[in-house]
């Protein structure tokens, strides 16, 4: 697998990835886009679905070498005050 084998190390890696995704701290313009993400149990990789441009997703993948697979989706759109509202 791509994630470390030890349970504690794997959980720490997942937690770090989750914090980075929630904060959108990997690039200044990362917060402009919506992201969906999950861990693929078969590959051990974190799968990110977004419409963000390659420059944004490459910066994210660089923080987790070999552990992130990005799927570009036309359905995901940039965040706006309207699209970011829930309910």
């Amino acid at each position: 697998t791509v994630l470390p084998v030890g349970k504690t190390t794997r959980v720490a890696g997942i937690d770090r990835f989750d914090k980075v995704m929630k904060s959108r701290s990997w690039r200044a313009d990362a917060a402009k886009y919506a992201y969906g993400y999950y861990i693929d149990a078969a590959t051990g990789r974190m799968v990110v679905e977004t419409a963000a441009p390659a420059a944004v997703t490459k910066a994210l993948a660089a923080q987790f070498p070999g552990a992130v697979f990005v799927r570009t989706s036309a359905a995901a759109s940039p965040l706006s005050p309207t699209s970011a509202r829930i309910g």
Side-chain angles (χ1 to χ4, degrees), residues 4-15:
V5 177
K7 183 178 179 181
T8 302
T9 308
R10 183 183 309 229
V11 170
I14 293 167
D15 285 347

Side-chain angles (χ1 to χ4, degrees), residues 31-34 75-87:
K32 293 180 182 178
Y33 302 93
S77 61
L79 289 177
S80 69
T82 304
S83 65
R85 279 190 212 129
I86 299 173

Side-chain angles (χ1 to χ4, degrees), residues 5 8 14-15 20 23 27 33 35 40-41 44-45 48 54-55 63 65 67 71 75 77 84:
V5 177
T8 302
I14 293 167
D15 285 347
V20 168
S23 70
R27 190 173 151 113
Y33 302 93
Y35 305 89
D40 182 334
R45 296 175 89 187
V48 177
Q63 288 195 15
R71 285 190 187 160
S77 61

